[in-house]
Amino acid sequence: MKYVSYIFATFMTIAMLLIFINMEQWIKITVKLPFMKVDPWLSGGEVVDSVITDSSRIYIHETANPGLFPDKTKQMVQYDFYGVVNDSIIETIIDKKQDDVIKSSKTKDHQIIRVYRFM
Amino acid sequence: MKTNLYSTGNKLRSILLSLPMVLICMLMLSRGLTGQLTDTISYVATVIFYSFFFFMMLYKGSIDKWRAIAFVTSAIFFAISFMHNLIDLRGSVTYSDEEVMSCEIPFCHIVTTMVLIPMAIKQTIIFPGSIESGFASISSMLVIVFGSSIILGRGFCSWGCFYGGWDDGFSRLTRKPFIKRVNLAYRWFAFAMLIVMALWSASTMMPEYCSWLCPFKLVTERDEIVDTETLLKNIVMIIMFLGLVVVLPLLTKKRIQCATFCPMGAFESLFNKISIFHVVNNESKCIKCGKCQNVCPMLAISKDNKPLINCAKCGRCVDECPTGAMQYHIKGTPIGKRFTVARILFLYPAYSLMVTLIGGSMMDAINLIFKSLI
């Protein structure tokens, strides 16, 4: 038994190195786990629809609800805008009643708009 | 006398035992090489740095002192490298709503404790980071955390955590503690923090320790001050760093942040049950002097001189024990026999973690310093 323990302890050094040497393989395995996705409230969630025009592309994400047990009184929808974005698109298509909370962020190639609705 | 128990005593034997670690350093640090002269100089300097301290641990027979020098230096250089890379990428060390919305925040190992409950119930990660690509992606950090914790248990806190070096460093600056007695019960506060943080974060679906309490944002990245809330978060961060990482460790010579507050440390403690390596008290040699309790920076020795679940395997009690009763041990082997073998078999994976996890950042920081001087 003690020799098994010593051999196992020796292998721990190899195991420690393999964690880093083989990291790409570990990542490939880990990302397939069911929980390996950022919560939609933080990431916007998956794209469920799109609107393509001559000057822009709009990708619409799934509706996200916050909370461990999703709170249906709060909703957020993320829009990814590629191309020309102006205020009238936001007012006429997204926030018609102009009572939503809007957060906007520009990345290198597109604009993210998050519309938060509290009911 | 106590160092003779563990010292190889023989320079040649120490060099031979250090050679595998030199090769490990050369292999693991070479992954960041680009061929530029400054890169090569940084690489050689970093390999020599880590190899030297590993050699000294074996030759002198004392682990904690040489470990601490390497560990604290690594933590400082990690901060230099990390903050410089952020400034290069974003222009500042602060993150704004833009970085959060784009899920570009590097995943820190402490966040692990906060994502577990939502992972289990909602099958999602409550952190705005990248799942698989980029620096400190969620998947890579989870692999490192769980992999190294299974191997070393809470040894991660003394050999791998790039924040722990700050706490460790400040706790060593004074010769004697101004506060001589720290109530050992405070060690359990970290476990309370683990439960509270896990539940709080699960209820709000946000990593609240990161948002509000983590002192180490001061040496990595922090909220951009845009409103009262972010101003308050920054004030709390500074108070926590000064209090838990600087002042209290200076006064007590204990790693107060790590021992009493860090939820990740408490989580890592649970892995001590799995890890094959641990520190034990060989009762046949113990004279009950209590020195181990006094010197332990993690408040991890019980009143009857036994290491507890929150032992971070730093080696200080092993070094200070006058009779050699405190020893590194491999589970499944007899206590008291071949303790030097157990010590060396522990040092290899532990030091490999330090070299691989933080050594790359040290190399990067040395490179930056060279480039700024040229």
Side-chain angles (χ1 to χ4, degrees):
Chain A
M1 175 65 187
K2 66 178 180 184
Y3 295 113
V4 172
S5 296
Y6 283 125
I7 292 169
F8 190 75
T10 310
F11 273 115
M12 289 298 100
T13 306
I14 300 169
M16 184 63 82
L17 296 174
L18 281 177
I19 290 172
F20 296 93
I21 291 170
N22 221 29
M23 182 56 77
E24 284 179 17
Q25 298 305 318
W26 300 128
I27 289 174
K28 280 183 188 160
I29 295 168
T30 314
V31 295
K32 289 179 187 162
L33 295 169
F35 52 75
M36 288 302 283
K37 52 183 183 289
V38 178
D39 192 77
W41 189 256
L42 295 172
S43 70
E46 290 179 8
V47 174
V48 294
D49 203 356
S50 59
V51 175
I52 313 285
T53 68
D54 290 337
S55 59
S56 62
R57 287 172 288 144
I58 307 169
Y59 296 97
I60 305 163
H61 291 249
E62 59 179 339
T63 305
N65 304 95
L68 194 59
F69 303 102
D71 181 356
K72 301 286 184 191
T73 63
K74 295 174 187 163
Q75 288 181 343
M76 184 272 287
V77 175
Q78 178 171 312
Y79 299 81
D80 296 340
F81 282 83
Y82 291 81
V84 178
V85 178
N86 57 48
D87 288 342
S88 68
I89 291 178
I90 298 172
E91 286 163 15
T92 59
I93 298 176
I94 299 171
D95 184 19
K96 290 176 188 166
K97 292 181 190 171
Q98 295 181 6
D99 57 357
D100 295 329
V101 174
I102 303 221
K103 270 191 178 178
S104 176
S105 162
K106 269 195 180 146
T107 67
K108 285 173 202 159
D109 60 352
H110 70 285
Q111 188 163 347
I112 298 171
I113 293 179
R114 285 193 183 161
V115 182
Y116 295 88
R117 187 164 293 164
F118 304 103
M119 299 190 259
Chain B
M1 180 177 161
K2 54 185 176 291
T3 55
N4 286 341
L5 284 171
Y6 299 107
S7 165
T8 58
N10 179 312
K11 212 176 270 182
L12 179 61
R13 201 182 310 162
S14 303
I15 290 170
L16 288 174
L17 285 171
S18 301
L19 278 178
M21 186 50 67
V22 175
L23 292 172
I24 288 171
C25 291
M26 289 172 68
L27 171 67
M28 301 311 284
L29 294 171
S30 68
R31 296 176 310 154
L33 281 177
T34 60
Q36 289 185 359
L37 179 62
T38 48
D39 259 4
T40 309
I41 295 171
S42 318
Y43 168 72
V44 170
T46 311
V47 169
I48 292 172
F49 175 86
Y50 283 112
S51 304
F52 172 74
F53 287 108
F54 188 78
F55 166 78
M56 292 304 280
M57 277 195 268
L58 296 177
Y59 181 58
K60 292 291 187 183
S62 62
I63 284 184
D64 182 57
K65 172 180 161 185
W66 305 105
R67 175 202 64 82
I69 299 172
F71 191 53
V72 173
T73 314
S74 300
I76 295 168
F77 277 80
F78 173 85
I80 294 170
S81 167
F82 189 90
M83 288 196 281
H84 177 269
N85 286 335
L86 284 179
I87 292 168
D88 224 16
L89 199 64
R90 296 180 197 155
S92 81
V93 294
T94 57
Y95 54 80
S96 60
D97 269 351
E98 277 72 26
E99 276 88 36
V100 175
M101 284 172 73
S102 303
C103 289
E104 287 176 2
I105 308 295
F107 187 85
C108 157
H109 54 282
I110 300 180
V111 184
T112 308
T113 55
M114 285 164 270
V115 302
L116 293 174
I117 294 178
M119 251 163 66
I121 296 177
K122 210 179 166 190
Q123 303 274 288
T124 59
I125 305 271
I126 54 163
F127 188 82
S130 167
I131 287 286
E132 64 179 294
S133 59
F135 175 67
S137 66
I138 294 171
S139 51
S140 66
M141 288 307 293
L142 287 178
V143 167
I144 292 169
V145 163
F146 284 97
S148 57
S149 301
I150 289 167
I151 296 169
L152 297 178
R154 199 175 176 176
F156 183 91
C157 296
S158 293
W159 300 87
C161 181
F162 31 80
Y163 301 137
W166 292 94
D167 212 14
D168 207 349
F170 282 112
S171 74
R172 289 168 190 270
L173 287 182
T174 50
R175 285 182 65 84
K176 287 185 179 178
F178 292 96
I179 300 173
K180 289 189 173 55
R181 286 204 170 277
V182 179
N183 191 326
L184 298 178
Y186 286 132
R187 67 173 84 108
W188 306 121
F189 189 73
F191 292 88
M193 279 295 293
L194 172 61
I195 295 169
V196 166
M197 285 299 124
L199 292 174
W200 183 15
S201 299
S203 68
T204 60
M205 293 295 276
M206 287 294 293
E208 297 293 356
Y209 182 85
C210 306
S211 280
W212 284 101
L213 297 174
C214 182
F216 295 111
K217 291 190 295 185
L218 191 65
V219 294
T220 49
E221 59 176 350
R222 52 192 178 274
D223 292 89
E224 186 184 14
I225 299 176
V226 294
D227 54 20
T228 314
E229 184 179 315
T230 47
L231 174 62
L232 194 56
K233 283 179 179 177
N234 277 273
I235 291 171
V236 169
M237 168 195 70
I238 292 169
I239 292 171
M240 299 298 273
F241 188 86
L242 289 176
L244 294 175
V245 180
V246 179
V247 172
L248 285 174
L250 275 171
L251 294 177
T252 60
K253 290 187 72 64
K254 304 290 183 195
R255 288 174 60 177
I256 295 294
Q257 152 69 20
C258 301
T260 70
F261 199 75
C262 181
M264 187 60 193
F267 180 67
E268 296 275 4
S269 298
L270 305 176
F271 286 88
N272 270 350
K273 289 287 186 190
I274 302 171
S275 169
I276 197 169
F277 303 107
H278 63 162
V279 176
V280 296
N281 181 337
N282 183 352
E283 289 181 32
S284 62
K285 288 186 172 184
C286 182
I287 56 172
K288 312 253 187 277
C289 64
K291 198 163 187 194
C292 50
Q293 289 180 50
N294 292 339
V295 300
C296 178
M298 301 296 285
L299 310 177
I301 310 274
S302 68
K303 285 190 179 153
D304 54 356
N305 306 308
K306 290 200 171 70
L308 295 168
I309 193 173
N310 56 322
C311 171
K313 301 170 192 170
C314 64
R316 199 181 298 186
C317 60
V318 176
D319 292 345
E320 296 292 332
C321 180
T323 62
M326 299 299 280
Q327 348 176 299
Y328 283 106
H329 176 250
I330 295 169
K331 291 176 188 170
T333 63
I335 292 177
K337 304 245 186 237
R338 301 187 191 278
F339 45 80
T340 314
V341 172
R343 176 189 186 89
I344 291 170
L345 288 178
F346 168 77
L347 279 181
Y348 277 117
Y351 206 72
S352 297
L353 176 64
M354 193 192 300
V355 168
T356 317
L357 187 58
I358 332 178
S361 298
M362 170 172 261
M363 204 169 103
D364 187 43
I366 295 174
N367 200 2
L368 291 168
I369 293 166
F370 269 134
K371 280 182 178 167
S372 67
L373 292 173
I374 294 171

